[in-house]
């Protein structure tokens, strides 16, 4: 899908930052099947594009997203026949694609982030929010169920007790509570939010190595839930054992000693080690 064909989002690249914007402000960026498909295509494009180092995900207008747009009808399957076994619910199509990214994703959240409007951000590396942001895992108040793999992501971010509170009550809560619990990394005034997201993106671009970021990101997601440290250390040992032939490692040390900005040469995805478990299984 070409970015020029998008209707529910926009996609722009500037200064090595891809900005993906939920773009249905009149509907408060209500989440649709088409939006889910376009988000998947946009994250695919950002991951493929060697010029893109960081992705910023945001929403047009005063809200990030109020969740599923119920006025848009049902799901993309026959309601009488039901979905086929391979069907995937729309929010999870986005959250899983973000989970698989080789590049960091910064979610800049202003206003309401409700239901699918918050679950699609849980796999982002950073969630920056405006002071007027509001969050809600409101599924039980609609007689439905959590989606976006949020029952996996949320307890890992805020702990089981807080996840239970938010999901079992379905209550809406503010930015300060989200920040205290660890759902949100940083709070900013609404008119500063996007600038702060780009400031963080530029810092990552200027100071970090793309392959190192890609590997580290997936190490955390894929290995943190291992039953013991032993399988993680096996992967660590292969990675560290290859540093003598890793030009980015050499450059990282030299640039530090010479007190200059680093110029990392390795690129994703082609230079990500093929022996890593999550790469080999593809």
């Amino acid at each position: 899908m070409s970015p020029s064909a998008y209707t529910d989002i926009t996609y722009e690249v500037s200064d090595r930052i891809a900005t993906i914007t939920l773009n249905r402000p009149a509907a408060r960026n209500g989440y649709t099947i088409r939006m889910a498909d376009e988000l998947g295509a946009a994250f695919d494009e950002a991951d493929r594009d060697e010029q893109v180092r960081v992705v910023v995900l945001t929403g047009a207008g005063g809200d990030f997203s109020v969740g599923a747009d119920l006025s848009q009808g049902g799901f993309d399957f026959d309601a009488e026949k039901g979905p086929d076994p391979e069907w995937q619910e729309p929010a999870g199509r986005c959250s899983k694609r973000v989970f698989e990214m080789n590049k960091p994703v910064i979610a800049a959240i202003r206003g309401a982030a409700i239901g699918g409007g918050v679950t699609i951000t849980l796999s982002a590396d950073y969630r920056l929010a405006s002071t007027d942001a509001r969050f809600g895992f409101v599924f039980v108040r609609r007689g439905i169920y959590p989606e976006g793999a949020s029952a996996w992501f949320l307890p890992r971010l805020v702990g089981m007790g807080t996840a239970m509170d938010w999901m079992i009550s379905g209550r809406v809560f503010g930015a300060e509570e989200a920040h205290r619990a660890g759902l949100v990394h940083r709070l900013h005034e609404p008119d500063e939010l996007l600038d702060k997201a780009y400031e963080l993106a530029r810092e990552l671009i200027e100071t970090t190595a793309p392959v190192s970021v890609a590997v580290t990101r997936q190490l955390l997601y894929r290995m943190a839930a291992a039953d013991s440290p032993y399988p993680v250390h096996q992967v660590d040992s292969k990675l560290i054992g290859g540093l003598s032939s890793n030009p980015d490692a050499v450059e990282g040390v030299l640039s530090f000693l010479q007190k200059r900005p680093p110029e990392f040469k390795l690129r994703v995805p082609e230079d990500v080690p093929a022996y890593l478990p999550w790469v080999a299984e593809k």
Side-chain angles (χ1 to χ4, degrees):
M1 183 184 298
S2 168
S4 63
Y6 296 155
T7 62
D8 287 9
I9 71 168
T10 61
Y11 180 87
E12 299 177 356
V13 177
S14 179
D15 298 326
R16 311 205 73 181
I17 304 168
T19 302
I20 300 174
T21 306
L22 311 184
N23 192 36
R24 303 183 68 234
R28 302 179 69 192
N29 296 321
Y31 198 76
T32 65
I33 297 293
R34 183 175 183 89
M35 183 180 284
D37 292 341
E38 291 180 358
L39 284 169
F43 281 111
D44 283 346
E45 176 66 23
D47 231 5
R48 283 193 303 264
D49 187 348
E50 186 179 297
Q51 294 305 307
V52 171
R53 285 286 317 279
V54 180
V55 179
V56 171
L57 174 64
T58 191
D63 293 297
F64 182 77
S65 173
V66 294
D69 188 341
L70 302 179
S71 70
Q72 295 297 299
F75 295 112
D76 48 348
F77 58 80
D78 187 286
E80 293 185 4
K81 295 180 180 178
D84 65 49
E86 303 302 316
W87 183 80
Q88 299 184 11
E89 59 83 14
R93 299 178 199 179
C94 180
S95 64
K96 289 200 308 179
R97 185 61 189 87
V98 174
F99 170 87
E100 294 169 353
M101 289 289 288
N102 284 308
K103 299 169 184 181
V105 177
I106 302 168
I109 303 167
R110 182 177 179 179
I114 306 296
V118 63
T119 63
I120 64 171
T121 73
L122 297 183
S123 50
D125 301 78
Y126 293 91
R127 279 162 301 284
L128 310 186
S130 62
T131 52
D132 66 353
R134 303 180 310 284
F135 302 86
F137 300 87
V138 299
F139 309 104
V140 297
R141 298 195 177 197
R142 307 291 182 266
I144 56 177
Y145 311 102
E147 32 75 303
S150 54
W152 189 89
F153 286 112
L154 187 61
R156 286 166 168 77
L157 295 173
V158 302
M160 185 61 76
T162 298
M164 279 285 188
D165 172 22
W166 290 349
M167 283 195 162
I168 296 302
S169 71
R171 64 183 177 85
V172 174
F173 53 94
E176 289 286 352
E177 182 174 348
H179 186 237
R180 287 195 304 271
L183 177 63
V184 169
H185 293 83
R186 301 169 193 170
L187 295 179
H188 301 287
E189 292 302 315
D191 59 352
E192 297 177 350
L193 176 65
L194 203 53
D195 287 342
K196 292 296 185 180
Y198 288 133
E199 182 180 304
L200 173 58
R202 287 191 293 270
E203 179 184 349
L204 296 176
I205 291 168
E206 293 168 2
T207 62
T208 67
V211 171
S212 182
V213 167
V215 172
T216 301
R217 185 180 195 280
Q218 290 299 319
L219 274 173
L220 287 166
Y221 264 142
R222 308 272 185 163
M223 307 297 284
D227 291 337
S228 77
Y230 299 112
V232 187
H233 189 237
Q234 287 180 335
V235 176
D236 294 347
S237 297
K238 287 185 178 180
L239 289 166
I240 300 304
L243 288 184
S244 59
S245 59
N246 183 324
D248 277 1
V250 175
E251 170 62 11
V253 173
L254 284 176
S255 62
F256 173 75
L257 294 175
Q258 296 169 0
K259 299 181 180 181
R260 60 172 175 79
E263 297 180 12
F264 297 116
K265 302 298 185 183
L266 297 183
R267 295 292 176 260
V268 294
E270 58 266 29
D271 294 322
V272 174
Y275 58 75
L276 293 170
W278 56 90
V279 177
E281 70 189 19
K282 288 185 177 180

